[in-house]
Amino acid sequence: MENVVIIGSGLAGYTLARELRKLAPDLPVRLLTRDDGTSYSKPMLSNALAKGKTAQSLAMASAEQMVGQLNMTITTHTAVTAIDTQAHRVVTAMEEIPYGNLVLAVGAEPVRPPLEGDAAGAVLSVNNLADYAVFRAALDEARHVAIIGPGLIGCEFANDLIAAGKQVTVIGPGKAPLDRLAPAPVGVSVQAALAKLGVEWRLGVTAARVDHHAGAYQVGLSDGGAVRADCVLSAVGLRPNLTLAKAAGLNTGRGIVVDRHLQSSAPDVYALGDCAEVAGLVLPFVMPIMHAARALAQTLAGTPTVLTYPAMPVVVKTPACPLVVSPPAVGAEGHWQIEHIEEGGVRALYRGGDGRVLGFALSGIAAAERQAWSKDLPPVLA
Ligand SMILES: Cc1cc2nc3c(=O)[nH]c(=O)nc-3n(C[C@H](O)[C@H](O)[C@H](O)COP(=O)(O)OP(=O)(O)OC[C@H]3O[C@@H](n4cnc5c(N)ncnc54)[C@H](O)[C@@H]3O)c2cc1C
């Protein structure tokens, strides 16, 4: 078996290393990461505040502890700057490292909204533990937080911050929050539940600028309105990190293009996690990473394995209005059937022409029906 070099110490990099170790205890594995290599659960970043957790207490294991657990070499604070796919080498500022098989698990970067104003640079985003430490330090001084982006992560932070006693305003262009994930009535049910707790919504507008104002910030809106806040958080989405892959001449689309073996356009170079586009799908969630890591570990350990994905509903962490979503496949023919439930919540089922349920969004009391509706869903990748 060829030695494996993994770039990235997020969920994708570490889960792959763990799966590889189960199958190939002696295979030389080296992991390179530009951060400090702390193992942590990224989903907890958006519900940590109300639970009283800090960046430090979210850390599950240091890089040294991961070396001990996984019997591998980990090089931290080291960015890979180039890949020579011909010579099978990765390049860092310090050395060139040969690989038999290379895995890109380099994640995604927060999209920066185009903002004007003298405080545009002070807008925060949270996509890793170090970002979270900065955010938490800013929150110590902040009473009012403005969140730009009413998607999954924006809504989760809104719920967490309001539950922790902050004043929260969420800004976004759609008519309802979560409009990229669920039909409007479902988003509206989450909006109403969070509004009941005190979240203020500024929908149908975009944030145009952020300026310093009277010791705090003022977010200028596209309709001429303004929101004053002590801290501004951007949660407008993530973009796969393609810099290395593009420079190395790998095929890229929305993500690093890989086949059902997670293999890129270059021999012996693979990708998984938030950076990867697998069979046309970019799915930046935990469950796809777990499936991809298991399949890729098999392949790298000598048993070529085709990736399959079952249906993978995503649980949105908005306890004010529990929500679980399994979006239908892009282009799936069908229609949404929407039922408002008297006790609170919405059952939205996406039905194909034959009546079969191809996807769902269940909010409030309907979220408890997740198992029942999940079992007949078609697989995402058969
Ligand atoms: C706030 C938040 C909440 C979330 N909640 C949920 C949830 O509830 N459920 C769910 O399913 N998903 C959730 N997600 C998504 C999920 O957490 C991610 O899909 C997953 O953690 C991504 O892991 P990754 O390893 O692909 O990327 P990352 O964690 O981003 O890891 C990328 C790694 O690559 C390294 N790296 C990048 N470039 C280089 C380089 N050139 N050289 C060396 N190292 C490099 C980075 O340092 C990092 O270690 C959430 C995401 C966020 C931000």
Side-chain angles (χ1 to χ4, degrees):
M1 267 180 276
E2 299 273 10
N3 81 306
V4 175
V5 171
I6 301 171
I7 310 174
S9 57
L11 186 75
Y14 274 144
T15 307
L16 174 66
R18 203 170 281 119
E19 293 297 326
L20 262 176
R21 269 294 161 262
K22 290 184 198 159
L23 302 171
D26 301 321
L27 177 70
V29 179
R30 179 162 179 188
L31 184 145
L32 299 155
T33 179
R34 68 179 177 193
D35 59 43
D36 68 1
T38 300
S39 167
Y40 70 102
S41 165
K42 189 181 292 199
M44 293 195 68
L45 299 180
S46 48
N47 67 354
L49 185 67
K51 291 199 166 98
K53 300 223 175 229
T54 62
Q56 259 178 341
S57 64
L58 286 172
M60 298 186 308
S62 66
E64 294 72 31
Q65 287 167 324
M66 294 306 286
V67 168
Q69 282 179 27
L70 295 171
N71 179 29
M72 65 196 279
T73 307
I74 300 179
T75 308
T76 59
H77 301 296
T78 300
V80 173
T81 53
I83 304 165
D84 183 339
T85 57
Q86 297 288 322
H88 276 57
R89 285 172 174 273
V90 297
V91 180
T92 74
M94 301 299 286
E95 57 181 325
E96 291 198 7
I97 300 154
Y99 64 80
N101 288 305
L102 174 66
V103 181
L104 298 176
V106 291
E109 301 287 341
V111 173
R112 303 286 303 176
L115 292 170
E116 301 200 2
D118 63 17
V123 173
L124 302 179
S125 53
V126 175
N127 187 39
N128 57 46
L129 211 47
D131 293 341
Y132 190 67
V134 173
F135 180 54
R136 283 300 294 268
L139 288 183
D140 285 345
E141 310 282 307
R143 213 167 50 84
H144 187 172
V145 182
I147 300 176
I148 305 172
L152 181 149
I153 289 173
C155 286
E156 291 188 349
F157 273 116
N159 201 147
D160 197 36
L161 289 162
I162 203 92
K166 302 290 180 190
Q167 198 183 330
V168 181
T169 304
V170 187
I171 301 160
K175 286 203 182 102
L178 296 157
D179 59 354
R180 275 183 277 171
L181 200 63
V186 174
V188 168
S189 66
V190 175
Q191 179 185 351
L194 287 172
K196 235 187 214 168
L197 297 184
V199 172
E200 187 201 356
W201 296 91
R202 302 297 290 268
L203 296 175
V205 294
T206 53
R209 56 186 301 124
V210 181
D211 292 284
H212 290 283
H213 181 86
Y217 302 111
Q218 176 161 295
V219 184
L221 306 177
S222 54
D223 66 353
V227 173
R228 304 243 171 96
D230 307 304
C231 173
V232 184
L233 179 70
S234 168
V236 299
L238 293 170
R239 188 177 290 135
N241 186 349
L242 302 179
T243 317
L244 264 181
K246 279 188 173 165
L250 305 185
N251 278 354
T252 57
R254 284 185 302 138
I256 302 170
V257 171
V258 294
D259 65 16
R260 299 274 299 265
H261 288 96
L262 288 312
Q263 164 128 30
S264 74
S265 55
D268 308 321
V269 180
Y270 299 82
L272 84 165
D274 282 8
C275 65
E277 178 179 330
V278 188
L281 301 171
V282 177
L283 297 174
F285 298 109
V286 170
M287 286 315 290
I289 292 176
M290 308 308 277
H291 287 279
R294 270 180 232 131
L296 183 53
Q298 289 281 357
T299 298
L300 297 177
T303 309
T305 300
V306 171
L307 174 65
T308 57
Y309 285 143
M312 298 174 288
V314 176
V315 176
V316 182
K317 302 183 294 293
T318 44
C321 179
L323 172 62
V324 54
V325 184
S326 188
V330 177
E333 294 274 333
H335 66 280
W336 283 105
Q337 175 194 319
I338 301 202
E339 290 166 62
H340 291 266
I341 296 168
E342 217 175 295
E343 297 82 3
V346 176
R347 179 188 299 117
L349 304 174
Y350 192 83
R351 290 194 184 273
D354 57 1
R356 190 172 168 198
V357 175
L358 303 177
F360 61 66
L362 306 166
S363 72
I365 217 154
E369 300 169 9
R370 166 190 165 190
Q371 298 292 353
W373 294 112
S374 295
K375 60 180 194 325
D376 295 328
L377 285 178
V380 174
L381 272 184

